[in-house]
Amino acid sequence: MATTTSPMARTAAPLPHPGLGVTFRTLLRWTLTQSGPMLPFVIVVQVALAAGIIVGFGLLIPGIDTASAQFISTGAPTVLLMIVGLAIVSAGVAQSRTTGTFTYLRALPIPRALLLVADLTVWLLVALPGVAVAVLVAHWRYGFDYSFDWPLLIAASALTAITASAMGYAIAVSLPPMVTQLVTQVLVFFVMLFSPITFPKSQLPVWFQMVHDVLPFRPAADLIRAGLLSDTYTAEPRDLVTLSIWCIVALVVSVRALVRRG
């Protein structure tokens, strides 16, 4: 005897879940839509910071020579990437937590780690132009020539941008919004004034140099500097290892916070 499926049974059949690729593209469009109004502001901030660091810091050194100008200029991209990641990314995540958008996205039936991947992809695309901005401002101000090591420059810039963004994300999902703002402001102040990015580490006490050997800021700057002036500076494997460890730790902290928080 033939059997028929009732309309109710057909209605109750589960719908197929979209694949990870479709989900990721949807999240990417969502993130771009949410971050879209901020993008012009981020670009303006990058240009202003590049001018402030390269031109402003140069004014602090009377009769600045080429070597000093190169050191400041090749450190500026790292400062820009760190500020975008630590300050702007964390501020965006903290705001989404305050408005409830972050909670809504985490409630969707999708892998929570995919939220992090989509956010980092967008901020990577936003932050990387800061390297080009700094290079152009430095060339306009001082007129020296670069000797690019393109594979190293691209890899170091991408790793630095991901690390800084992941650190900002980890701070924002692990701490209350107000504490996040305070911590990231202190970190930005520390990066700009107390990290050997725009000045040689030899100007710091020995113990402080050792501290920066295990922090991500100086290794990131030295790797990018070697990519911009490959005939003057060389990349150290230890710097790559240090920066990679910080990147992995920040990603792990972010994912664990996304998964554990209810």
Side-chain angles (χ1 to χ4, degrees), residues 22 34 37 66-67 74 97 104 112 118 133-134 142 166 181 185 193 198 200 209-210 244 248-249:
V22 175
Q34 294 295 311
T66 301
T74 54
R97 289 183 63 190
Y104 167 75
R112 290 182 176 178
V133 169
Y142 300 111
Q181 183 179 7
Q185 286 179 351
L193 297 181
T198 55
Q209 295 180 32
M210 296 174 63
S244 299
I248 293 171
V249 170

Side-chain angles (χ1 to χ4, degrees), residues 45-186:
V45 167
Q46 288 180 318
V47 174
L49 283 173
I53 295 168
I54 295 171
V55 179
F57 281 20
L59 295 176
L60 298 176
I61 306 175
I64 184 171
D65 56 17
T66 301
S68 298
Q70 288 178 336
F71 206 93
I72 292 175
S73 300
T74 54
T78 303
V79 176
L80 295 181
L81 294 177
M82 287 294 171
I83 288 177
V84 170
L86 294 174
I88 299 179
V89 172
S90 62
V93 176
Q95 182 182 16
S96 69
R97 289 183 63 190
T98 301
T99 59
T101 303
F102 187 76
T103 303
Y104 167 75
L105 289 174
R106 292 180 66 252
L108 297 176
I110 58 176
R112 290 182 176 178
L114 212 57
L115 298 174
L116 174 63
V117 176
D119 276 343
L120 292 184
T121 300
V122 170
W123 288 111
L124 178 65
L125 297 176
V126 171
L128 284 181
V131 178
V133 169
V135 168
L136 292 175
V137 171
H139 182 72
W140 165 77
R141 174 63 178 86
Y142 300 111
F144 60 82
D145 294 325
Y146 291 90
S147 53
F148 296 106
D149 182 341
W150 288 109
L152 175 59
L153 178 60
I154 294 172
S157 299
L159 181 58
T160 300
I162 294 173
T163 302
S165 299
M167 289 173 63
Y169 199 99
I171 293 170
V173 297
S174 302
L175 300 175
M178 289 299 294
V179 179
T180 294
Q181 183 179 7
L182 176 62
V183 170
T184 53
Q185 286 179 351
V186 171

Side-chain angles (χ1 to χ4, degrees), residues 203-243:
Q203 297 184 16
L204 295 174
V206 175
W207 68 268
F208 208 11
Q209 295 180 32
M210 296 174 63
V211 170
H212 277 289
D213 286 339
V214 297
L215 293 178
F217 312 122
R218 196 274 305 158
D222 286 353
L223 288 171
I224 293 178
R225 183 173 290 112
L228 291 171
L229 292 174
S230 59
D231 59 351
T232 306
Y233 301 97
T234 57
E236 296 292 338
R238 183 180 64 179
D239 293 337
L240 179 60
V241 171
T242 301
L243 189 60

